[in-house]
Amino acid sequence: MLSNLINRLVLREAVLVAFIGLVILTLVPFGSVTPFPFAFAAIGMFVLAILSGLLFAQPRQSRWVFNIALSLLMALTGWAFIQTIELPAHWLANPAWGAARDLVGVQYAAISVEPADTLAAILWVALPFVTFLTGLILCDTDQRARKVLASLGLAAGVIAVFGLLQFLMFPNILIVIEKHAYVDSLTAVFVNRNTAATFLGMGTLLMLTLVRDIARSFSAHPPGEPGRNLLLLRTWIYILLLCACFTALMLSRSRAGIFATFVAALIYFPWLFINWNSSRRYLIPRQRWRSVLKLLSAMIFIVLLLSMFAGRAILRAQERRLEDDDRFCILPGIWRAISDHWLTGTGLGTFRTVFSAYRDPACGIFGIFDRAHNFYLEGFLGLGVIFPVATFLAFTVLARVFWRGLSQRRRLRHYVLLGISATVLVALHSAVDFSLQIPGFAVFFSAFLSAAVAISLGRSHGEKDRLYGGPTPPATV
């Protein structure tokens, strides 16, 4: 009996390590935007999902989140598939098929204007959902959830170091190929600087968390005890990786990415600074004014940090007005397309085809917009009214999860705040860019979110926190 239990634990750890490795590997080849890396990532993640589902039970604390996410996956992919089939009497078919029938005699008619593209796009939607579901199964304890977050943070730090070295020594090279776009900006392993900024912003928040945990562990370690020098070395390495993430973020020159990270930092850093040495919920009255002073000091520090190091992004914002940005010029055309197809959508993954008919000539004739630079509007155009409903449900579930985490977690409450701030960062930046549509980043964020949700729901009322044998010593809840 004991040997079977040990074997299951070893097997779970092995699957968890494979899961973390696959998530990190998905980032490296330009965010897996090309077919071969994406196919490798999708096959690997689906295999891990099947193994996890067969070998391990559904997560107990987060089962209701698991079921809602699975239901959303089935609803979105099911509707996307319906968009590709020919319904009886051409019911709900896009009017473009009628024109095609009149011109070239096409008899097929469906909701999607490009059924083949919609079928292919289903896998792009399913991959982050499957990553999230697999992460929930594997992150059944605080220890495993924190292992996922620590691994993602360290991976972001290493990628930031690589990006800095590449940008300083070989600015015209992107990994191993010649760099054609954003030559003046650091993009790390991504093609687009905005995706890189979203990733590096999350990496900065993750590394800040790891620095806090290792620093507390070092300060609590008695002088002369074995392992203290190793803790000191790890502390400095983590600090250097944090600085690398922050510096790389500034060199990305992404206005929206830096601003979104700034908002997330205003949520996370003041609380982290106030509770650097304590996670107590209640403060005695005579200490409240000190907490207020710390809060104001932390917010001023974030503002000064932004004004000192985000000069290149601020200069871009001053040189180029918002009304001159192509992303904002095309918004009216996107809204017109949505208003014409708000109920059923035009088909998942069909933005490039549909938008050409709504493009305003005043926005210029150069370039092809294959994405809307707005995750929410593109989803609304492709899937119709089901997308904003699903998005509202997803944010509602996350709000409930994080609220429960804030009210019931004590020692690990900063991980709940980390989840909130990173979600705000990604949600804000998704309104002006398409980071969530890059498979590598979508998988990274889904894995992060699964661990954050697992920690937020990892303790029910009256239970003790699970102990973790990591940098932070065990503490009483």
Side-chain angles (χ1 to χ4, degrees):
M1 184 70 176
L2 181 60
S3 62
N4 290 336
L5 179 60
I6 293 176
N7 290 335
R8 286 184 63 84
L9 290 176
V10 172
L11 182 60
R12 183 183 283 271
E13 288 295 325
V15 176
L16 181 64
V17 170
F19 173 76
I20 295 171
L22 183 60
V23 170
I24 296 172
L25 191 61
T26 306
L27 290 167
V28 176
F30 316 112
S32 295
V33 293
T34 52
F36 180 76
F38 174 77
F40 176 82
I43 293 172
M45 191 59 68
F46 275 89
V47 169
L48 286 179
I50 294 172
L51 285 176
S52 302
L54 293 176
L55 296 175
F56 314 117
Q58 285 188 15
R60 182 172 58 89
Q61 296 281 1
S62 56
R63 181 173 299 174
W64 64 277
V65 179
F66 183 93
N67 291 332
I68 292 176
L70 182 59
S71 299
L72 278 177
L73 171 62
M74 295 174 63
L76 293 176
T77 56
W79 174 245
F81 177 75
I82 292 174
Q83 288 181 316
T84 66
I85 62 178
E86 188 173 12
L87 299 175
H90 295 170
W91 186 55
L92 297 179
N94 193 287
W97 289 104
R101 182 171 58 252
D102 296 337
L103 290 174
V104 293
V106 174
Q107 297 301 317
Y108 191 87
I111 295 173
S112 174
V113 298
E114 291 279 1
D117 289 350
T118 300
L119 281 175
I122 290 177
L123 195 58
W124 292 67
V125 172
L127 180 57
F129 271 95
V130 171
T131 303
F132 178 74
L133 295 172
T134 306
L136 285 183
I137 294 175
L138 296 176
C139 296
D140 62 326
T141 64
D142 289 342
Q143 180 179 2
R144 293 191 179 96
R146 291 180 69 176
K147 180 182 292 186
V148 170
L149 294 177
S151 301
L152 297 182
L154 292 174
V158 172
I159 290 176
V161 171
F162 168 78
L164 286 171
L165 294 176
Q166 179 181 248
F167 184 69
L168 294 174
M169 299 172 60
F170 309 101
N172 296 321
I173 300 296
L174 180 60
I175 304 182
V176 293
I177 66 173
E178 185 179 357
K179 188 175 183 180
H180 297 286
Y182 306 110
V183 180
D184 61 341
S185 303
L186 187 149
T187 61
V189 295
F190 301 96
V191 176
N192 187 281
R193 66 176 162 218
N194 296 297
T195 305
T198 315
F199 170 75
L200 293 168
M202 283 191 60
T204 302
L205 297 177
L206 282 164
M207 285 311 307
L208 183 61
T209 305
L210 295 182
V211 167
R212 186 258 191 187
D213 285 352
I214 195 70
R216 288 191 64 193
S217 181
F218 176 77
S219 63
H221 207 83
E225 287 288 327
R228 182 176 172 86
N229 291 334
L230 180 60
L231 277 177
L232 178 61
L233 177 62
R234 289 177 61 189
T235 301
W236 279 110
I237 292 175
Y238 284 12
I239 291 174
L240 290 176
L241 292 179
L242 169 63
C243 294
C245 285
F246 178 77
T247 304
L249 170 65
M250 296 299 109
L251 291 176
S252 71
R253 300 184 67 199
S254 171
R255 295 166 296 178
I258 293 174
F259 173 76
T261 304
F262 167 71
V263 175
L266 283 179
I267 296 173
Y268 187 48
F269 182 74
W271 188 95
L272 201 66
F273 181 67
I274 293 173
N275 298 274
W276 191 266
N277 294 317
S278 175
S279 294
R280 297 183 181 277
R281 184 178 183 182
Y282 301 105
L283 299 171
I284 58 178
R286 65 174 178 271
Q287 292 180 337
R288 292 187 184 276
W289 68 271
R290 295 181 180 178
S291 297
V292 174
L293 183 61
K294 287 182 178 180
L295 174 65
L296 295 176
S297 301
M299 295 179 70
I300 293 173
F301 174 76
I302 293 295
V303 174
L304 290 177
L305 205 63
L306 178 71
S307 60
M308 290 173 59
F309 294 100
R312 300 183 72 183
I314 295 173
L315 181 62
R316 280 191 64 233
Q318 293 174 344
E319 291 177 344
R320 190 173 186 181
R321 298 173 300 173
L322 290 180
E323 55 267 28
D324 296 331
D325 196 316
D326 292 341
R327 288 177 293 183
F328 296 95
C329 184
I330 67 174
L331 282 179
I334 298 175
W335 276 114
R336 289 196 303 272
I338 291 175
S339 64
D340 289 344
H341 308 92
W342 66 271
L343 182 60
T344 62
T346 61
L348 184 65
T350 61
F351 175 83
R352 177 173 177 167
T353 302
V354 173
F355 178 69
S356 58
Y358 294 88
R359 181 170 177 170
D360 187 350
C363 298
I365 61 174
F366 300 102
I368 298 174
F369 286 94
D370 54 357
R371 291 186 175 92
H373 288 273
N374 187 307
F375 171 75
Y376 310 106
L377 294 184
E378 185 166 343
F380 198 169
L381 176 61
L383 290 172
V385 72
I386 190 176
F387 181 80
V389 173
T391 302
F392 176 78
L393 177 61
F395 279 123
T396 302
V397 170
L398 288 177
R400 181 181 174 186
V401 167
F402 291 139
W403 177 257
R404 179 174 173 181
L406 288 175
S407 61
Q408 296 192 359
R409 299 312 305 248
R410 298 294 181 271
R411 184 172 57 88
L412 301 183
R413 184 179 293 165
H414 60 293
Y415 281 95
V416 183
L417 265 295
L418 172 64
I420 294 173
S421 57
T423 301
V424 169
L425 190 164
V426 175
L428 284 178
H429 202 189
S430 295
V432 291
D433 213 81
F434 47 80
S435 296
L436 280 177
Q437 294 167 254
I438 304 300
F441 179 77
V443 167
F444 179 86
F445 180 65
S446 298
F448 165 86
L449 207 56
S450 66
V453 167
I455 290 177
S456 299
L457 300 178
R459 173 181 179 265
S460 61
H461 186 69
E463 282 188 299
K464 291 183 178 180
D465 282 349
R466 298 178 179 91
L467 298 181
Y468 171 66
T472 305
T476 304
V477 177

mmCIF file of all heavy atoms in Angstrom, residues 46 56 98 105 124 167 232 236 265-266 281 378 403 422 431 440:
data_model
loop_
_atom_site.group_PDB
_atom_site.id
_atom_site.type_symbol
_atom_site.label_atom_id
_atom_site.label_comp_id
_atom_site.label_asym_id
_atom_site.label_seq_id
_atom_site.Cartn_x
_atom_site.Cartn_y
_atom_site.Cartn_z
ATOM 1 N N PHE A 46 -1.982 17.859 -24.908
ATOM 2 C CA PHE A 46 -3.146 16.982 -24.909
ATOM 3 C C PHE A 46 -2.796 15.600 -24.350
ATOM 4 O O PHE A 46 -3.613 14.984 -23.663
ATOM 5 C CB PHE A 46 -3.731 16.871 -26.323
ATOM 6 C CG PHE A 46 -4.673 17.974 -26.674
ATOM 7 C CD1 PHE A 46 -4.201 19.146 -27.247
ATOM 8 C CD2 PHE A 46 -6.023 17.871 -26.414
ATOM 9 C CE1 PHE A 46 -5.061 20.187 -27.566
ATOM 10 C CE2 PHE A 46 -6.897 18.898 -26.729
ATOM 11 C CZ PHE A 46 -6.420 20.056 -27.308
ATOM 12 N N PHE A 56 -5.004 10.707 -12.263
ATOM 13 C CA PHE A 56 -5.271 11.469 -11.048
ATOM 14 C C PHE A 56 -6.714 11.962 -11.038
ATOM 15 O O PHE A 56 -7.307 12.190 -12.094
ATOM 16 C CB PHE A 56 -4.309 12.661 -10.941
ATOM 17 C CG PHE A 56 -2.883 12.302 -11.227
ATOM 18 C CD1 PHE A 56 -2.212 12.865 -12.308
ATOM 19 C CD2 PHE A 56 -2.208 11.384 -10.442
ATOM 20 C CE1 PHE A 56 -0.905 12.549 -12.595
ATOM 21 C CE2 PHE A 56 -0.890 11.045 -10.714
ATOM 22 C CZ PHE A 56 -0.239 11.619 -11.797
ATOM 23 N N GLY A 98 -24.291 33.826 -50.117
ATOM 24 C CA GLY A 98 -25.277 34.110 -51.159
ATOM 25 C C GLY A 98 -24.639 34.790 -52.357
ATOM 26 O O GLY A 98 -24.929 34.460 -53.523
ATOM 27 N N GLY A 105 -21.583 30.068 -58.359
ATOM 28 C CA GLY A 105 -22.401 28.875 -58.216
ATOM 29 C C GLY A 105 -22.094 28.015 -57.017
ATOM 30 O O GLY A 105 -22.407 26.814 -57.001
ATOM 31 N N TRP A 124 -6.377 26.347 -31.529
ATOM 32 C CA TRP A 124 -5.699 27.484 -30.892
ATOM 33 C C TRP A 124 -6.463 27.930 -29.642
ATOM 34 O O TRP A 124 -5.861 28.430 -28.687
ATOM 35 C CB TRP A 124 -5.586 28.646 -31.875
ATOM 36 C CG TRP A 124 -4.655 28.374 -33.011
ATOM 37 C CD1 TRP A 124 -4.816 27.456 -34.006
ATOM 38 C CD2 TRP A 124 -3.409 29.019 -33.269
ATOM 39 N NE1 TRP A 124 -3.748 27.486 -34.875
ATOM 40 C CE2 TRP A 124 -2.865 28.447 -34.453
ATOM 41 C CE3 TRP A 124 -2.702 30.037 -32.643
ATOM 42 C CZ2 TRP A 124 -1.650 28.848 -34.994
ATOM 43 C CZ3 TRP A 124 -1.489 30.460 -33.197
ATOM 44 C CH2 TRP A 124 -0.978 29.855 -34.353
ATOM 45 N N PHE A 167 19.864 41.492 -27.400
ATOM 46 C CA PHE A 167 19.578 42.862 -27.819
ATOM 47 C C PHE A 167 20.834 43.726 -27.801
ATOM 48 O O PHE A 167 21.016 44.603 -28.656
ATOM 49 C CB PHE A 167 18.515 43.456 -26.898
ATOM 50 C CG PHE A 167 18.064 44.834 -27.285
ATOM 51 C CD1 PHE A 167 17.321 45.036 -28.428
ATOM 52 C CD2 PHE A 167 18.386 45.929 -26.497
ATOM 53 C CE1 PHE A 167 16.909 46.312 -28.798
ATOM 54 C CE2 PHE A 167 17.972 47.203 -26.841
ATOM 55 C CZ PHE A 167 17.226 47.393 -28.001
ATOM 56 N N LEU A 232 21.901 32.821 0.546
ATOM 57 C CA LEU A 232 22.369 34.152 0.154
ATOM 58 C C LEU A 232 22.649 34.195 -1.348
ATOM 59 O O LEU A 232 22.282 35.170 -2.035
ATOM 60 C CB LEU A 232 23.629 34.508 0.941
ATOM 61 C CG LEU A 232 24.272 35.869 0.608
ATOM 62 C CD1 LEU A 232 23.299 37.000 0.907
ATOM 63 C CD2 LEU A 232 25.571 36.047 1.386
ATOM 64 N N TRP A 236 20.656 36.565 -4.249
ATOM 65 C CA TRP A 236 21.271 37.478 -5.209
ATOM 66 C C TRP A 236 20.944 37.087 -6.651
ATOM 67 O O TRP A 236 20.734 37.952 -7.507
ATOM 68 C CB TRP A 236 22.787 37.535 -4.998
ATOM 69 C CG TRP A 236 23.160 38.441 -3.880
ATOM 70 C CD1 TRP A 236 23.654 38.099 -2.662
ATOM 71 C CD2 TRP A 236 23.047 39.866 -3.869
ATOM 72 N NE1 TRP A 236 23.856 39.207 -1.883
ATOM 73 C CE2 TRP A 236 23.497 40.311 -2.605
ATOM 74 C CE3 TRP A 236 22.604 40.812 -4.799
ATOM 75 C CZ2 TRP A 236 23.512 41.656 -2.252
ATOM 76 C CZ3 TRP A 236 22.624 42.152 -4.446
ATOM 77 C CH2 TRP A 236 23.080 42.561 -3.192
ATOM 78 N N ALA A 265 1.563 46.611 -10.858
ATOM 79 C CA ALA A 265 2.508 46.842 -9.763
ATOM 80 C C ALA A 265 1.895 47.713 -8.669
ATOM 81 O O ALA A 265 2.179 47.522 -7.479
ATOM 82 C CB ALA A 265 3.785 47.483 -10.304
ATOM 83 N N LEU A 266 1.059 48.675 -9.057
ATOM 84 C CA LEU A 266 0.378 49.503 -8.052
ATOM 85 C C LEU A 266 -0.578 48.673 -7.197
ATOM 86 O O LEU A 266 -0.852 49.025 -6.045
ATOM 87 C CB LEU A 266 -0.385 50.637 -8.737
ATOM 88 C CG LEU A 266 0.441 51.823 -9.237
ATOM 89 C CD1 LEU A 266 -0.462 52.841 -9.917
ATOM 90 C CD2 LEU A 266 1.199 52.473 -8.077
ATOM 91 N N ARG A 281 -3.582 39.715 9.066
ATOM 92 C CA ARG A 281 -4.720 40.397 8.455
ATOM 93 C C ARG A 281 -5.060 41.676 9.195
ATOM 94 O O ARG A 281 -5.476 42.664 8.604
ATOM 95 C CB ARG A 281 -5.919 39.450 8.437
ATOM 96 C CG ARG A 281 -7.131 40.021 7.743
ATOM 97 C CD ARG A 281 -8.237 39.013 7.730
ATOM 98 N NE ARG A 281 -9.400 39.525 6.997
ATOM 99 C CZ ARG A 281 -10.527 38.856 6.858
ATOM 100 N NH1 ARG A 281 -10.663 37.659 7.367
ATOM 101 N NH2 ARG A 281 -11.536 39.375 6.194
ATOM 102 N N GLU A 378 -11.987 41.081 -31.331
ATOM 103 C CA GLU A 378 -11.793 40.012 -32.308
ATOM 104 C C GLU A 378 -12.572 38.764 -31.930
ATOM 105 O O GLU A 378 -13.144 38.085 -32.793
ATOM 106 C CB GLU A 378 -10.311 39.688 -32.459
ATOM 107 C CG GLU A 378 -10.041 38.673 -33.557
ATOM 108 C CD GLU A 378 -8.583 38.587 -33.944
ATOM 109 O OE1 GLU A 378 -7.814 39.513 -33.608
ATOM 110 O OE2 GLU A 378 -8.204 37.596 -34.598
ATOM 111 N N TRP A 403 -11.387 36.486 -4.513
ATOM 112 C CA TRP A 403 -12.008 37.016 -3.294
ATOM 113 C C TRP A 403 -11.951 35.984 -2.172
ATOM 114 O O TRP A 403 -11.657 36.318 -1.023
ATOM 115 C CB TRP A 403 -13.447 37.426 -3.569
ATOM 116 C CG TRP A 403 -14.168 37.910 -2.342
ATOM 117 C CD1 TRP A 403 -15.087 37.244 -1.594
ATOM 118 C CD2 TRP A 403 -13.990 39.180 -1.696
ATOM 119 N NE1 TRP A 403 -15.502 38.000 -0.528
ATOM 120 C CE2 TRP A 403 -14.847 39.199 -0.570
ATOM 121 C CE3 TRP A 403 -13.203 40.296 -1.974
ATOM 122 C CZ2 TRP A 403 -14.927 40.296 0.277
ATOM 123 C CZ3 TRP A 403 -13.274 41.395 -1.123
ATOM 124 C CH2 TRP A 403 -14.135 41.371 -0.013
ATOM 125 N N ALA A 422 -1.501 40.009 -11.995
ATOM 126 C CA ALA A 422 -1.142 39.492 -13.321
ATOM 127 C C ALA A 422 -2.363 39.412 -14.227
ATOM 128 O O ALA A 422 -2.272 39.684 -15.431
ATOM 129 C CB ALA A 422 -0.495 38.116 -13.184
ATOM 130 N N ALA A 431 -6.754 44.606 -24.333
ATOM 131 C CA ALA A 431 -7.668 45.562 -24.954
ATOM 132 C C ALA A 431 -7.016 46.327 -26.096
ATOM 133 O O ALA A 431 -7.717 46.961 -26.900
ATOM 134 C CB ALA A 431 -8.201 46.546 -23.909
ATOM 135 N N GLY A 440 2.321 30.537 -27.288
ATOM 136 C CA GLY A 440 3.296 30.403 -26.211
ATOM 137 C C GLY A 440 2.909 31.188 -24.979
ATOM 138 O O GLY A 440 2.963 30.679 -23.854
#
